[in-house]
Amino acid sequence: MADAVIDLNADLGEGFGRWSLTDDDALLSVVTSANVACGFHAGDPSTMRRVCSLAAERGVRIGAQVSYRDLAGFGRRAMDVPPEELADEIAYQIGALQVFARAAGSRVSYVKPHGALYNRVVQDNEQAEAVVSGVLRAGAVCDGPLPLLGLPGSRLLAVAEGVGLPVVTEAFADRAYTWAGTLVPRREPNAVVHDPEAVIARAVGIARDGTATAVGGEPITVRARSLCVHGDTPGAAQLAWRIRGALASAGVRVEAFT
């Protein structure tokens, strides 16, 4: 792929009170976009403020990582939330993060669903519409429509495009794919790629060539403008540095999409 360019994003601020999960300080030295937990699956006001301040200092774009209200399950449990209620909760999370982003001299630049919600809106049109409605409701405090980050071919991105919201396609360096280009559910074996060399090779393949290998061995097309490195992976920051170095060696330019 000529003139390849990719954004590196990671899920950050995934702690609560005295408990922390992600190495926010180290990862914010590598990534170009930060998906900040907004308190529903992880995160709290002080953590949100701290991550926004660090991101602003380092020129990292701040994204609202919105989820179902599920602290106990880390947002990874399937939930049935009425569309209007979900839309309000999405707007609420974005608005809360915007307060801390503005206080840091930055702003919320995009929105990315987390966990069960991310997977649900790949195929569920009603829930996708609710997420988009919530993003639109938050537009008044975010200087206009926010881009949505999501899986290529998802209902979420289709609905967003239908109402004029910008969309950004995303791929995962450390997750297994099905032949259809969707993520293998975490409850299934081998859903997460643990071998660092395999993760690095996949990142380069996606960014440079737009290709990956599905869990069954089939080659698949994966076109993405942003590449996610999960912040809760052991050694995530070191792995992210290695990915960034490999991308540079492969002639891929790393820069934010906003």
Side-chain angles (χ1 to χ4, degrees):
M1 183 183 294
D3 300 319
V5 59
I6 199 81
D7 167 70
L8 281 182
N9 77 74
D11 303 343
L12 300 178
E14 290 184 327
F16 192 81
R18 297 178 62 186
W19 174 76
S20 62
L21 177 64
T22 50
D23 189 347
D24 300 326
D25 188 56
L27 282 165
L28 283 167
S29 297
V30 190
V31 300
T32 45
S33 297
N35 317 316
V36 184
C38 297
F40 272 37
H41 75 282
D44 57 41
S46 294
T47 301
M48 292 162 68
R49 177 191 55 76
R50 179 176 53 81
V51 174
C52 285
S53 295
L54 287 171
E57 288 173 8
R58 298 174 190 183
V60 176
R61 302 298 188 269
I62 296 171
Q65 186 163 45
V66 297
S67 74
Y68 289 126
R69 189 190 295 267
D70 182 27
L71 273 176
F74 197 61
R76 288 181 175 164
R77 298 185 293 191
M79 303 182 75
D80 289 317
V81 181
E84 278 299 303
E85 182 179 337
L86 180 58
D88 289 339
E89 292 188 343
I90 297 301
Y92 179 92
Q93 292 174 77
I94 297 168
L97 187 64
Q98 178 73 334
V99 168
F100 297 112
R102 283 297 194 197
S106 186
R107 64 184 178 87
V108 173
S109 296
Y110 65 94
V111 177
K112 174 184 173 178
H114 165 81
L117 181 58
Y118 187 99
N119 293 322
R120 181 77 170 265
V121 296
V122 170
Q123 297 181 335
D124 190 317
N125 200 71
E126 185 178 64
Q127 295 279 282
E129 288 179 344
V131 171
V132 169
S133 293
V135 173
L136 291 172
R137 290 175 191 180
V141 297
C142 294
D143 303 324
L146 292 171
L148 267 162
L149 184 60
L151 204 66
S154 65
R155 291 308 307 156
L156 176 68
L157 298 194
V159 171
E161 285 185 310
V163 299
L165 283 179
V167 301
V168 181
T169 53
E170 179 183 36
F172 293 82
D174 53 3
R175 288 293 307 277
Y177 281 84
T178 70
W179 64 268
T182 58
L183 299 178
V184 174
R186 282 183 176 267
R187 64 179 178 274
E188 296 185 12
N190 303 314
V192 179
V193 181
H194 295 288
D195 178 9
E197 299 304 325
V199 173
I200 292 167
R202 170 162 292 194
V204 171
I206 290 171
R208 185 186 60 194
D209 307 316
T211 61
T213 302
V215 71
E218 310 94 332
I220 58 173
T221 298
V222 181
R223 303 289 187 191
R225 178 60 181 85
S226 186
L227 186 67
C228 180
V229 179
H230 279 102
D232 59 347
T233 301
Q238 182 181 15
L239 179 59
W241 272 118
R242 293 185 63 192
I243 288 172
R244 185 153 185 168
L247 291 170
S249 297
V252 179
R253 192 168 72 254
V254 176
E255 63 180 41
F257 56 82
T258 59

